[in-house]
């Protein structure tokens, strides 16, 4: 169920849905998604669907992970990416193979602890994790060339816009609790933010405050 053939099938599906970046496809093929979820769910790891990871949260659908990663790389390779919503740690693990450094913020400490254990087990050393409300970003390492948000706020948090570098991009689902949200690509230009609408998506909502 977690065999190479199953993973190859997933990659073919991502390709047929429009993912073109071969490096992204290769990382999606090699990253063991089944290690980012409960063993009870692992038989479904290479289906192209979001799956529960506890605490009312989900690991994102592989197509969405690949799509957002492709967009993050579309203006060249950023020196670092800020992720809001570590969750299982899967999206950050995919990014860690494609960019030099990933910073990821999560509000539920138990998920962060599990993600840290997974990175240790997989020998991934270029991801730094922080337990906090990610609406505030991670100011110490700002500005960022790329920000990826994997939970949906009602509106784009000002703190994240402030931490985007000039020429930098943010990929973010907007729409909070609504049934369908909009995936936005925001580019910071010298004197304005330019917004482009990508896909209709469904993420868990971005919630306020950090909880232990
Ligand atoms: N990138 C994750 C997706 C997890 S789902 C993965 O690959 O598995 C979204 C995550 O965002 C959840 O873990 C949720 O707890 C977290 N989240 C929601 N609101 C947040 C906030 N304000 N700050 C940080 N994390 C938040």
């Amino acid at each position: 169920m977690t065999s190479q053939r199953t993973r190859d099938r997933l990659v073919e599906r991502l390709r047929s849905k429009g993912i073109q970046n071969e490096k992204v496809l290769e990382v999606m093929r090699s990253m063991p998604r089944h290690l980012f979820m409960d063993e009870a769910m692992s038989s479904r790891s290479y289906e192209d669907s979001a799956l529960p990871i506890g605490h009312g949260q989900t690991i994102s659908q592989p197509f969405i992970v690949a799509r957002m990663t492709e967009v993050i790389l579309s203006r060249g390779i950023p020196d670092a990416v800020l992720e809001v919503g570590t969750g299982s740690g899967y999206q950050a693990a995919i990014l860690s193979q494609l960019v030099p450094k990933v910073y990821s913020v999560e509000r539920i400490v138990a998920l962060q602890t599990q993600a840290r254990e997974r990175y240790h087990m997989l020998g991934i050393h270029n991801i730094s994790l922080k337990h906090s409300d990610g609406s505030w970003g991670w100011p110490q390492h700002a500005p960022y060339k790329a920000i990826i948000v994997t939970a949906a706020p009602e509106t784009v948090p000002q703190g994240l816009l402030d931490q985007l570098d000039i020429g930098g991009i943010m990929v973010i689902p907007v729409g909070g609790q609504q049934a369908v949200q909009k995936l936005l690509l925001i580019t910071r230009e010298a004197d304005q933010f330019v917004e482009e609408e990508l896909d209709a998506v469904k993420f868990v909502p971005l919630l306020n405050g950090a909880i232990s």
Side-chain angles (χ1 to χ4, degrees), residues 57-58 83 85-88 91 106-107 111 133-134 150 206-207:
Q57 305 305 318
T58 55
E83 180 192 38
T86 312
S88 68
Q91 170 74 74
E106 169 59 53
R107 67 185 283 275
L111 292 176
D133 181 341
T150 66
L206 188 88
L207 302 173

Side-chain angles (χ1 to χ4, degrees), residues 35-50:
L35 299 182
F36 288 84
M37 58 186 82
D38 263 13
E39 237 174 275
M41 293 301 289
S42 63
S43 67
R44 300 185 57 196
S45 321
Y46 297 96
E47 286 177 14
D48 188 22
S49 52

Side-chain angles (χ1 to χ4, degrees), residues 23-200:
K23 286 190 180 140
V24 173
L25 288 167
E26 203 37 55
V27 175
M28 295 294 297
R29 190 195 306 276
S30 58
M31 187 61 67
R33 189 171 185 251
H34 62 280
L35 299 182
F36 288 84
M37 58 186 82
D38 263 13
E39 237 174 275
M41 293 301 289
S42 63
S43 67
R44 300 185 57 196
S45 321
Y46 297 96
E47 286 177 14
D48 188 22
S49 52
L51 292 167
I53 53 171
H55 308 270
Q57 305 305 318
T58 55
I59 179 171
S60 304
Q61 179 194 358
F63 171 69
I64 293 294
V65 172
R67 171 89 170 118
M68 289 172 90
T69 305
E70 200 170 59
V71 173
I72 284 289
L73 301 178
S74 63
R75 310 273 167 89
I77 297 177
D79 55 345
V81 179
L82 170 68
E83 180 192 38
V84 177
T86 312
S88 68
Y90 178 67
Q91 170 74 74
I94 295 287
L95 283 167
S96 76
Q97 307 302 295
L98 296 159
V99 305
K101 179 76 194 177
V102 182
Y103 297 99
S104 185
V105 182
E106 169 59 53
R107 67 185 283 275
I108 301 176
V109 76
L111 292 176
Q112 189 205 41
T113 304
Q114 277 180 321
R116 182 167 279 129
E117 283 166 11
R118 287 166 180 145
Y119 299 149
H120 185 72
M121 184 168 65
L122 291 166
I124 296 175
H125 301 297
N126 59 339
I127 303 176
S128 296
L129 300 177
K130 180 180 163 85
H131 176 226
S132 140
D133 181 341
S135 319
W136 303 108
W138 191 337
Q140 285 85 346
H141 306 290
Y144 300 95
K145 285 276 179 232
I147 299 178
I148 182 170
V149 183
T150 66
E154 294 293 344
T155 56
V156 182
Q158 188 59 43
L160 296 180
L161 290 170
D162 291 344
Q163 288 171 36
L164 200 55
D165 204 356
I166 309 266
I169 56 174
M170 172 164 25
V171 191
I172 180 168
V174 173
Q177 312 269 2
Q178 288 166 33
V180 179
Q181 304 142 354
K182 288 186 276 191
L183 188 64
L184 300 183
L185 169 60
I186 298 171
T187 306
R188 182 172 198 168
E189 295 183 349
D191 51 2
Q192 62 174 343
F193 292 93
V194 177
E195 220 174 87
E196 195 184 320
E197 213 174 299
L198 300 178
D199 310 307

